[in-house]
Amino acid sequence: QVQLVESGGGLVQAGGSLRLSCAASGRTFSSLAMGWFRQAPEKEREFVAAITYYGLNTYYADSVKGRFTISRDNAKNTVYLQMNSLKPEDTAVYSCAADGDIQPIVTMNNPRYWGQGTQVTVSS
């Protein structure tokens, strides 16, 4: 069983930056594709970014391209989401997800493992 624990959320002013982390345990980290999702109040969960096993390929939602960067450190069993130029509409609970295959993550087709989420609030 894979456990995912997010950290790094908080309150930031518009235009600011945050870096989220997601630490994984329970399985060889390099065998997991990883992704970030978010859900704002009264909205459906949406895909944010994903990264393949060794970081060779990354994927982003159009709404965050050029502002957010996903990366991973397999030695630390951790995936990161660097968020720059934050906007109030980025306010949401951000959750990381993992799967042995990248497809369920990039297609939002029920990735196997989920973290509990971390709140990001961007004030205007």
Side-chain angles (χ1 to χ4, degrees):
Q1 187 71 9
V2 173
Q3 292 80 41
L4 303 174
V5 179
E6 301 96 336
S7 61
L11 173 64
V12 63
Q13 288 188 332
S17 298
L18 280 175
R19 188 176 80 155
L20 305 183
S21 301
C22 173
S25 61
R27 179 168 163 175
T28 302
F29 189 62
S30 58
S31 71
L32 294 169
M34 302 295 296
W36 288 95
F37 294 80
R38 67 186 182 186
Q39 187 167 18
E42 301 182 357
K43 291 189 177 181
E44 293 188 354
R45 179 182 285 167
E46 64 175 349
F47 168 78
V48 175
I51 189 167
T52 52
Y53 311 100
Y54 292 94
L56 294 180
N57 297 101
T58 57
Y59 307 83
Y60 295 94
D62 289 342
S63 58
V64 306
K65 276 182 185 176
R67 300 188 298 123
F68 290 11
T69 302
I70 189 170
S71 63
R72 65 189 294 159
D73 185 339
N74 286 356
K76 295 182 178 180
N77 294 348
T78 302
V79 64
Y80 304 97
L81 185 68
Q82 178 66 45
M83 306 186 293
N84 298 330
S85 302
L86 282 161
K87 305 174 182 179
E89 51 264 44
D90 294 318
T91 295
V93 174
Y94 284 71
S95 300
C96 72
D99 197 286
D101 189 336
I102 190 71
Q103 289 302 318
I105 297 175
V106 297
T107 60
M108 283 197 63
N109 189 20
N110 197 27
R112 186 168 181 182
Y113 307 107
W114 289 91
Q116 294 292 330
T118 185
Q119 176 70 46
V120 171
T121 303
V122 184
S123 64
S124 57

